[in-house]
Amino acid sequence: SILLRPKFEPQYAPTLTLVMGMAVAKAVKSLGFDVSIKWPNDVVVSHKKICGILTEMGVRDGKIDYAVIGVGINVNLKEFPEEMQDKATSLLLEGGHEYDRNQVIALVMKYFEINYEKFIQTCDFTHLLDDYHRILANLNQPVRVIDGDRSFEGICRGIDEKGELLVERQNKEVVKVSAGEVSVRGLYSYV
């Protein structure tokens, strides 16, 4: 987990999850893996989750007091419970050897600093969109958006500068989906 005390407005804080997701993805890629992101907060290798990210924020007097980004990377796990084996993996299982966790953390932080500096210039994804779209697992793929009892299907068309997922419905209407409100699943697999 990392603690931040950002100076931007609270409405921009949820996008930090996406900024960190890109950092983890770049770190894992630098270790030699083919990696992608299942929007908004799952880093994926071999169509299985290798990392999840959660962001929590505290607000005081309408300003961000703190933001904590929690990152869970499956580094040297050798096995998963049976019900998770088709959905989760680790660097060890994919790479065939153990990894230095300190090296993994250092790589994640290196890429987070780069991405965070780009993000705070505009408090949106303007400078990160191209990089994000290159690793977005669901891009131009069928997805199901689940929002409580309601759900709909469409084609993922990427994200916008606010980090919202763009889903094109069958009637060609593009719906913006905000992180934290819904679950997004691939129609034919976890991704």
Side-chain angles (χ1 to χ4, degrees), residues 69-146:
I69 306 173
V71 182
I73 304 172
N74 300 332
V75 178
N76 292 320
L77 289 170
K78 294 179 179 161
E79 58 186 50
F80 290 88
E82 188 174 327
E83 67 273 8
M84 294 177 64
Q85 289 177 0
D86 63 336
K87 295 177 187 76
T89 191
S90 69
L91 296 177
L92 180 145
L93 290 174
E94 296 301 318
H97 62 87
E98 288 194 4
Y99 289 82
D100 179 347
R101 291 174 11 162
N102 292 326
Q103 178 194 17
V104 174
I105 292 168
L107 286 168
V108 169
M109 290 311 301
K110 170 187 161 184
Y111 289 112
F112 179 78
E113 287 180 28
I114 293 167
N115 292 344
Y116 186 71
E117 289 300 319
K118 289 180 182 178
F119 174 75
I120 61 173
Q121 290 176 28
T122 57
C123 288
D124 66 25
F125 246 65
T126 300
H127 301 299
L128 298 167
L129 274 175
D130 290 341
D131 286 347
Y132 195 89
H133 283 140
R134 275 193 281 279
I135 57 176
L136 180 57
N138 308 90
L139 187 62
N140 298 319
Q141 299 296 315
V143 294
R144 176 174 290 122
V145 177
I146 304 163

Side-chain angles (χ1 to χ4, degrees), residues 171-183:
N171 65 4
K172 302 298 181 196
E173 172 194 12
V174 175
V175 178
K176 294 181 178 186
V177 180
S178 297
E181 295 178 4
V182 299
S183 174

Side-chain angles (χ1 to χ4, degrees), residues 12 24 35 56 72 75 169 175-176 179:
Y12 304 119
V24 173
V35 66
E56 184 178 303
V75 178
R169 298 180 74 149
V175 178
K176 294 181 178 186

